[in-house]
């Protein structure tokens, strides 16, 4: 094993819209959060130079490929999550346009929003996130989805099976950590039907949970 692969790996995750859909502390329901995730992957054709926060002085009216937002093309322009941190010249993030974000972000793929052309994409995401097993008090939610994203469990399983030394650090401004703790512990005990072997060393005991405040010294 190389020195790089044997080094202890520390993974830091924010909770909301990273390993969990929904943000109750921020006032976002599951559907609000799913719409926002899609909105953050949508890009417009820039109407001029981008400001400091990525906004155009004039609100864009076309998608990045030039398709007018007012139209309903049979094949909408591809969403571009890879452009989030490396936006190509001539493009502007939908979510960074104040008027578009304010009016449509939480209802992005709903009828009446420019993003309604991505309704099918939202339904594919919803189907992929649906809990496919019998309801579980920690691993599934009332809306029929898994508590945490499937990719998160797969990441933990792959790292555990590899024998790699690693730690996971989670943070949230909300009140979600007890739910996350319960889901991780259920996974570690082998209660997830897709990972019956579990990973006992990943259980998250109460003494490793902390609540801090920004004004604490």
């Amino acid at each position: 094993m190389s020195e790089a692969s044997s080094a202890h790996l520390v993974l830091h995750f924010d909770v909301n819209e990273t390993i969990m859909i929904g943000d109750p502390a921020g006032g976002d329901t599951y559907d609000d959060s799913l719409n926002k995730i899609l909105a953050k992957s949508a890009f417009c054709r820039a109407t001029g130079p981008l400001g400091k926060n990525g906004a155009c002085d004039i609100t864009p009216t076309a998608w990045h490929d030039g398709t007018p937002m007012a139209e309903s093309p049979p094949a909408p322009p591809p969403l571009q999550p890879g452009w989030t941190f490396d936006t190509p010249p001539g493009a502007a993030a939908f979510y960074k346009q104040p008027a578009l974000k304010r009016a449509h972000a939480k209802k992005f793929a709903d009828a009446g929003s420019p993003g309604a052309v991505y309704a099918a994409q939202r339904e594919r995401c919803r189907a992929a996130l649906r809990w496919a097993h019998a309801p579980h008090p920690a691993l599934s939610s009332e809306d029929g989805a898994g508590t945490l994203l499937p990719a998160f469990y797969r990441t933990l399983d792959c790292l555990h099976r590899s024998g790699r030394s690693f730690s996971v650090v989670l943070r949230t401004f909300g009140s979600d950590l007890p739910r996350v703790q319960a889901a991780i512990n259920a996974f570690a005990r082998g209660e997830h039907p897709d990972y019956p072997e579990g990973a006992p060393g990943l259980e998250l005991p109460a003494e490793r949970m902390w609540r801090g405040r920004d004004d604490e010294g």
Side-chain angles (χ1 to χ4, degrees):
M1 183 177 292
S2 69
E3 183 176 349
S5 62
S6 62
H8 184 76
L9 178 66
V10 181
L11 300 173
H12 291 256
F13 291 99
D14 188 16
V15 169
N16 303 112
E17 295 186 13
T18 304
I19 65 170
M20 174 186 284
I21 306 295
D23 186 2
D28 294 340
T29 66
Y30 184 93
D31 280 350
D32 291 342
S33 188
L34 195 56
N35 276 308
K36 285 174 61 181
I37 289 170
L38 292 175
K40 290 175 182 179
S41 296
F43 285 80
C44 318
R45 175 163 290 186
T47 54
L50 302 184
K52 181 178 180 181
N53 295 319
C56 298
D57 288 338
I58 300 174
T59 301
T61 58
W63 298 112
H64 62 83
D65 69 345
T67 302
M69 291 184 185
E71 294 183 0
S72 299
L79 295 172
Q80 300 288 353
W83 289 3
T84 302
F85 300 105
D86 189 20
T87 304
F94 181 98
Y95 196 77
K96 293 183 178 180
Q97 311 312 308
L100 296 177
K101 176 182 177 180
R102 184 169 53 250
H104 304 296
K106 292 187 180 184
K107 305 292 182 183
F108 180 69
D110 289 356
S113 165
V117 294
Y118 295 105
Q121 178 70 33
R122 182 181 60 184
E123 294 314 304
R124 285 194 291 272
C125 290
R126 199 190 305 278
L129 297 172
R130 188 171 295 125
W131 180 252
H133 311 286
H136 187 285
L139 294 169
S140 62
S141 57
E142 294 179 357
D143 51 28
T147 302
L148 305 180
L149 293 183
F152 180 66
Y153 296 121
R154 184 174 182 182
T155 298
L156 296 182
D157 181 66
C158 288
L159 286 170
H160 176 70
R161 288 175 178 275
S162 74
R164 178 73 182 266
S165 174
F166 73 99
S167 300
V168 176
V169 179
L170 304 168
R171 61 168 288 280
T172 180
F173 286 108
S175 55
D176 312 287
L177 282 181
R179 288 183 64 204
V180 176
Q181 177 192 27
I184 290 176
N185 287 348
F187 165 82
R189 292 191 297 266
E191 295 176 19
H192 195 305
D194 293 336
Y195 304 100
E197 294 183 9
L202 293 182
E203 287 201 60
L204 185 58
E207 60 267 23
R208 298 184 68 181
M209 304 278 286
W210 294 273
R211 176 177 296 175
R213 293 176 57 88
D214 290 341
D215 58 359
E216 288 183 348

